[in-house]
Amino acid sequence: MKLWKQTACLLLCIPLLSALLTGCWDDRELNELGITSGSAYDWEDNQWKATYQVINPSSGASGMGGSGGGSTTSPPFVTFTVKGRTIMEAIERTNLTSTREMFFSHSRITVLGESVAKQGINQLIDMFLRKQDARETVYVFLSQGEAGDILDQLMQLTKNQGAGIQLMIEQESRLVSYYPGVRIYELAMALSSESGSAVLPEIQLTGKQIMDETGETGRTDLPSRLALGKLGVLKGDKLIGWLNQEQAFGLSFLTGKVNSATLAFPSDPKAGDTPDASFILQNASTTVHPVWDKDHYIMDIHIKGSGVLTELGSAMDLNDRASIAGMEQSIEQKVLELVNSSWTEVRRLGADVTGFAVRIHRSDRKRWKTIERDKSWDSIFRDIEIRPRVSIKIERTGLINKSFKSVQQK
C-alpha cells in the first residue's frame, strides 16, 4: 500500500517537473530581426527581383513628425534588393547583405511590378499562404514601373511608409470608394472563385524623382508623392488590362463596394452638362439578379443610395420638391454613366471582376453545371446584358434651403 502511494506521488510530480524544463525552442532576439513593413516584387532576367523595406530602429524620431531622441538624419527604414530563381531564394540572399534576419509578421503591404503581374502571381500567393511568418492580411498593390521604387519613397506625416500606404487605401475605401483595398487572402479567394478574376489598385509616384532622403521631406510640398492611380484587372493569375478612375468607380457600384462617395453633377441638366453641385453618398447598396433570356443572361442591377447635398452653384429654391427631384435624377444619370462605362471596358477585357459567375452559380445551379462542363463561361460572359436601375434620395440639403446664387440675384 505504501509503495503504491509513493508510485502515485511520483507520477503526479513528473508533469510538474517537466513544466520547469520548457522554453522557446525557436526564440530569436529582437535585435537579430529585421522587421519588414513592406515588400515589392519585380521580374528581371528570368528571376524574382525582391525589395524589402525594413524598419530602422536607430532612426528615432525624425523631422517627419514625432518627438523624442534619435538621429534626425537616419532614415526611418532601409531597403534591400535581392534576386533569386525562387522567392525564398531571394529572401535568403538578404542574409548576405544584412545583419538581421528578415521577419515578415509585421508587414503591411506588398507591391507587384507590372513585369511580375504579367508573368503570373500564383507562386507569390502560394508563398504568402504557406510561409509561417508571412501575413495573408497584407494589402496588395500594382505598379506600372519598378515596384521596388515605390518602397524607396519617403512619406510626410508618417515615418512607417508601409503603414502609411495601408492607411491611404483604408481611408480611400472608406471615404471615396474608387478603389477597393485588396488583401492577399481576398486576392486568392477571387482568383480561385468561379469568376477567376480580380482587381488590384495601382500605387504610383506622381513625379519622376524619388524622395529617398530624410532632408527632402522638410519641404511643404514634395515634387513626387505616392498616389493611387488606376485599377489593374487580373484574369487567371495574370494582369490583362487597366480601368481608369471613373471605370473603377463604376465597378464599385456594380459590385456593391461603395461605402461613401462624393458625386459632382449638373444641378440643372437643361442649362448645361457642367457639374456645379456636389452630393455625398452616405448609404449605398447594390442587388444583382441574373435572368436567363433565350440565349444569354440579363443582369438586373438595382443600385440604391441616399445622402446629403453639400454644394450648389445654380439659382435654386430647395423648398421646391421639383428642384430636389430634378437633382436626384441628375445624380442617378451620373451613376448610370459610371456603371455603363465600367461594364463596357470590363466586358471588352473579358474578365469577370463583377462576380457575375458567383451569382449565377448560386441562383441557377443546373445551368452553371452545363457552363462548367462545356467550359463556355468566357463566351457566356461576353454576351451578358446588364439592366441597371438607380434610385438616389437626397435626404438633407445642408444648413440653408436656398442657393447663395439665388439669394444674390434678389
Side-chain angles (χ1 to χ4, degrees):
M1 187 71 177
K2 185 177 181 181
L3 180 63
W4 180 85
K5 288 183 178 180
Q6 289 177 342
T7 304
C9 186
L10 180 62
L11 291 174
L12 288 173
C13 288
I14 288 175
L16 296 175
L17 291 172
S18 63
L20 301 175
L21 302 176
T22 58
C24 298
W25 63 271
D26 63 342
D27 69 308
R28 289 175 289 180
E29 295 295 332
L30 188 60
N31 59 6
E32 297 174 352
L33 300 178
I35 308 299
T36 305
S37 61
S39 59
Y41 300 92
D42 294 291
W43 186 258
E44 188 176 283
D45 301 327
N46 290 322
Q47 293 187 93
W48 291 91
K49 181 181 177 182
T51 303
Y52 298 103
Q53 185 185 91
V54 179
I55 300 298
N56 182 4
S58 65
S59 68
S62 74
M64 288 178 290
S67 60
S71 171
T72 58
T73 57
S74 182
F77 57 81
V78 293
T79 57
F80 296 92
T81 300
V82 286
K83 288 184 179 181
R85 292 165 296 181
T86 64
I87 303 169
M88 284 305 302
E89 183 178 73
I91 292 174
E92 291 304 315
R93 286 182 177 175
T94 60
N95 295 310
L96 303 177
T97 57
S98 173
T99 59
R100 299 190 177 215
E101 180 185 355
M102 296 295 107
F103 186 69
F104 297 95
S105 293
H106 293 278
S107 290
R108 305 294 191 96
I109 63 160
T110 189
V111 185
L112 311 181
E114 194 170 16
S115 56
V116 160
K118 288 182 175 180
Q119 177 74 17
I121 61 172
N122 276 342
Q123 188 174 334
L124 184 71
I125 294 175
D126 182 272
M127 186 275 293
F128 269 98
L129 298 179
R130 189 179 302 276
K131 196 171 185 296
Q132 286 184 335
D133 65 339
R135 294 182 66 186
E136 69 275 9
T137 56
V138 298
Y139 282 99
V140 191
F141 298 86
L142 290 174
S143 171
Q144 292 195 56
E146 286 279 327
D149 291 345
I150 299 297
L151 297 189
D152 288 331
Q153 174 76 18
L154 293 170
M155 297 179 72
Q156 292 176 314
L157 304 181
T158 179
K159 291 178 61 180
N160 186 337
Q161 189 232 47
I165 295 177
Q166 176 186 348
L167 290 173
M168 186 190 299
I169 189 63
E170 288 177 345
Q171 176 177 280
E172 187 281 331
S173 299
R174 186 178 72 253
L175 301 177
V176 185
S177 301
Y178 290 157
Y179 313 106
V182 182
R183 300 176 186 265
I184 276 285
Y185 75 89
E186 293 171 327
L187 176 62
M189 290 174 62
L191 292 179
S192 59
S193 70
E194 296 90 336
S195 297
S197 302
V199 292
L200 289 175
E202 177 202 8
I203 188 80
Q204 64 179 2
L205 289 169
T206 59
K208 294 181 179 180
Q209 182 182 358
I210 299 175
M211 313 299 290
D212 56 357
E213 295 184 14
T214 55
E216 295 175 327
T217 58
R219 306 181 187 183
T220 56
D221 187 18
L222 298 181
S224 181
R225 292 180 179 274
L226 292 174
L228 297 171
K230 298 180 180 179
L231 189 67
V233 177
L234 289 84
K235 185 176 182 181
D237 70 326
K238 295 180 173 63
L239 176 69
I240 62 169
W242 300 89
L243 300 181
N244 61 33
Q245 191 177 91
E246 284 204 347
Q247 292 165 346
F249 196 18
L251 183 63
S252 294
F253 279 104
L254 273 172
T255 53
K257 293 183 178 179
V258 175
N259 296 310
S260 176
T262 297
L263 292 163
F265 65 97
S267 58
D268 186 5
K270 295 178 181 178
D273 295 332
T274 304
D276 64 346
S278 295
F279 171 78
I280 294 183
L281 186 64
Q282 296 177 322
N283 300 290
S285 64
T286 302
T287 57
V288 180
H289 180 62
V291 177
W292 180 258
D293 184 24
K294 297 181 181 179
D295 58 351
H296 69 287
Y297 273 104
I298 296 176
M299 310 302 286
D300 278 327
I301 303 168
H302 191 191
I303 300 168
K304 291 182 179 179
S306 62
V308 57
L309 185 70
T310 56
E311 182 182 357
L312 184 58
S314 62
M316 192 172 291
D317 184 359
L318 300 181
N319 290 316
D320 183 6
R321 180 56 200 168
S323 298
I324 299 293
M327 287 192 290
E328 289 174 343
Q329 290 177 4
S330 183
I331 298 169
E332 291 168 356
Q333 184 59 37
K334 176 62 178 178
V335 174
L336 279 174
E337 290 173 1
L338 291 169
V339 168
N340 287 324
S341 173
S342 177
W343 171 243
T344 299
E345 183 61 17
V346 166
R347 184 166 61 176
R348 186 191 69 80
L349 292 172
D352 181 22
V353 292
T354 55
F356 287 165
V358 177
R359 297 182 183 276
I360 291 172
H361 184 194
R362 291 173 179 173
S363 63
D364 194 353
R365 292 181 179 272
K366 185 176 181 181
R367 198 178 301 279
W368 179 255
K369 287 182 179 179
T370 304
I371 293 172
E372 274 192 319
R373 185 191 64 213
D374 299 339
K375 296 181 178 179
S376 57
W377 173 241
D378 283 348
S379 60
I380 293 288
F381 179 73
R382 292 183 189 276
D383 291 335
I384 286 178
E385 175 188 348
I386 66 169
R387 202 155 50 191
R389 292 180 296 120
V390 182
S391 302
I392 297 294
K393 182 176 179 58
I394 298 176
E395 292 186 332
R396 297 186 303 279
T397 58
L399 300 178
I400 55 177
N401 56 16
K402 290 185 179 181
S403 67
F404 182 72
K405 188 173 183 178
S406 64
V407 174
Q408 201 175 30
Q409 287 180 351
K410 286 184 178 180

